[in-house]
């Protein structure tokens, strides 16, 4: 299947990177206010996909994102929803806790989304590519070939390399795994800004994003924590339709389980993330 790639050309100035909004309207509202305070225009705000997910306001979140005019690629959730699929497409192990939870939040999201929101999702490209500080950058969700592939920092570089090769990129901006990290290999950079819809299993309710900066015509990046009204997000999730465990994670910053995590990342549960 051909990939839909949106080449947005050469960009300059600060770029805000984030992923996994997961229907968390409060986090998205706070992120937008930060972008405005940093004078980052909407076209320089780029999401790695999964605008919709675990939280309580899928329709409001999609419409807010659309009205902001920020950019996004399609995550596996957008692809599944716009195609009317029966599950979120995360390839969770059948019978696992994540699989069970997805059978609650995914139908809930389906039931709330308007035709207008689904049509918006249909416009999202599979990838975004651009030039920045003399580097070619490509935004993907999981890996270039597999939107649902979980790529972590501990994932061998051999599994990351094909995405660079396929896109002829110097920098890959990726999402999906829910954890912020970066990794250099020679002159190549894999950068996951993190997600804003759920904590990073680090024991704090704050969530993660990143900002690129081309000051002095060099490629710079920095991860940032986002403090937002997580108590309201959690309260709205306690509606009888969504997993209570996810509402609790919003508060505690600890994932209910580490089924999808490699041993290295699983062992870091509850540890503060430092960059």
């Amino acid at each position: 299947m051909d990939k839909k790639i949106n080449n947005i050309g050469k960009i300059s100035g600060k770029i805000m990177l984030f992923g996994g909004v997961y229907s968390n309207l409060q986090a998205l509202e706070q992120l937008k206010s930060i972008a405005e305070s940093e004078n980052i225009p909407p076209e320089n705000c780029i999401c790695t996909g999964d605008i919709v997910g675990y939280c309580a306001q899928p329709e409001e979140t999609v419409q807010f994102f659309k009205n902001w005019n920020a950019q996004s690629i399609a995550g596996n959730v957008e692809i599944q929803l716009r195609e009317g699929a029966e599950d979120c497409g995360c390839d969770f192990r059948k019978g696992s806790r994540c699989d069970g939870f997805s059978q609650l939040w995914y139908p809930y999201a389906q039931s709330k989304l308007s035709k207008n929101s689904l049509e918006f999702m249909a416009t999202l490209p599979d990838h975004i590519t651009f030039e920045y500080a003399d580097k070619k950058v490509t935004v993907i969700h999981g890996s270039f070939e597999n939107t649902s592939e979980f790529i972590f920092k501990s994932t061998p570089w051999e599994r990351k390399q094909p995405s660079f090769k396929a896109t002829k990129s110097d920098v890959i901006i990726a999402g999906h795994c829910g954890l912020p990290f970066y990794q250099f290999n020679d002159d190549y950079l894999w950068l996951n800004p993190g997600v804003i819809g759920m904590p990073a299993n680090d024991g704090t309710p704050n969530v993660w994003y990143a900002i690129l900066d081309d000051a002095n015509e060099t490629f710079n990046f920095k991860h940032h924590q986002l403090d937002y009204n997580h108590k309201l997000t959690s309260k709205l999730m306690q509606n009888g339709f969504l997993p209570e465990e996810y509402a609790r994670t919003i508060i505690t910053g600890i994932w209910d389980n580490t089924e999808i995590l490699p041993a290295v990342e699983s062992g870091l549960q509850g540890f503060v993330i430092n960059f």
Side-chain angles (χ1 to χ4, degrees):
M1 188 170 127
D2 290 337
K3 301 280 187 179
K4 182 181 175 185
I5 301 175
N6 184 13
N7 186 341
I8 56 177
K10 191 171 184 178
I11 303 182
S12 60
K14 290 182 179 178
I15 298 176
M16 176 175 274
L17 302 170
F18 61 102
V21 185
Y22 300 149
S23 307
N24 189 331
L25 179 63
Q26 291 69 46
L28 188 63
E29 289 173 333
Q30 182 63 21
L31 190 75
K32 179 176 180 282
S33 71
I34 290 172
E36 290 169 347
S37 70
E38 294 272 352
N39 294 315
I40 304 175
E43 62 268 22
N44 278 23
C45 298
I46 302 175
C47 177
T48 62
D50 288 354
I51 299 169
V52 174
Y54 316 113
C55 300
Q57 295 177 283
E59 174 65 12
E60 296 89 338
T61 300
V62 172
Q63 290 299 317
F64 186 90
F65 190 97
K66 180 183 173 184
N67 291 333
W68 180 14
N69 280 324
Q71 304 203 57
S72 183
I73 62 171
N76 53 280
V77 176
E78 280 82 34
I79 291 170
Q80 297 295 94
L81 284 168
R82 72 194 187 192
E83 293 181 357
E86 294 182 357
D87 60 56
C88 67
C90 289
D91 291 336
F92 294 136
R93 181 174 52 80
K94 194 163 182 61
S96 67
R97 287 182 70 77
C98 287
D99 181 51
F101 293 151
S102 72
Q103 291 172 31
L104 295 174
W105 69 258
Y106 182 79
Y108 174 83
Q110 271 187 317
S111 73
K112 297 294 183 183
L113 289 169
S114 65
K115 184 171 180 282
N116 181 271
S117 289
L118 293 171
E119 288 171 349
F120 170 71
M121 289 180 194
T123 69
L124 299 178
D126 296 300
H127 308 292
I128 290 172
T129 184
F130 57 92
E131 292 204 18
Y132 189 75
D134 291 328
K135 293 187 182 295
K136 183 178 179 185
V137 183
T138 300
V139 183
I140 65 176
H141 188 64
S143 66
F144 180 77
E145 291 297 337
N146 183 358
T147 302
S148 298
E149 184 174 5
F150 288 105
I151 302 282
F152 299 91
K153 186 168 187 177
S154 71
T155 302
W157 190 261
E158 290 72 31
R159 277 178 58 193
K160 300 179 173 100
Q161 185 64 39
S163 292
F164 290 96
K165 188 174 181 180
T167 61
K168 297 181 172 60
S169 296
D170 305 296
V171 180
I172 293 289
I173 308 295
H176 192 51
C177 77
L179 300 178
F181 72 90
Y182 68 89
Q183 185 178 16
F184 283 103
N185 188 292
D186 295 327
D187 292 329
Y188 298 102
L189 169 65
W190 187 287
L191 174 61
N192 191 316
V195 298
I196 65 165
M198 276 276 165
N201 201 29
D202 56 355
T204 165
N206 291 345
V207 292
W208 290 90
Y209 65 100
I211 291 180
L212 302 184
D213 194 334
D214 62 351
N216 303 317
E217 297 183 2
T218 59
F219 187 100
N220 304 290
F221 66 91
K222 186 176 181 181
H223 281 92
H224 298 270
Q225 282 187 292
L226 178 68
D227 183 11
Y228 72 100
N229 190 355
H230 60 274
K231 290 181 180 176
L232 175 57
T233 300
S234 178
K235 184 178 180 182
L236 291 169
M237 291 170 72
Q238 296 168 45
N239 60 10
F241 297 101
L242 296 169
E244 292 181 9
E245 292 83 352
Y246 285 166
R248 191 158 53 243
T249 291
I250 291 285
I251 299 292
T252 65
I254 296 293
W255 293 4
D256 169 81
N257 64 82
T258 58
E259 291 171 334
I260 68 164
L261 296 180
V264 171
E265 281 78 10
S266 182
L268 292 173
Q269 184 174 52
F271 282 82
V272 173
I273 298 172
N274 290 308
F275 288 105

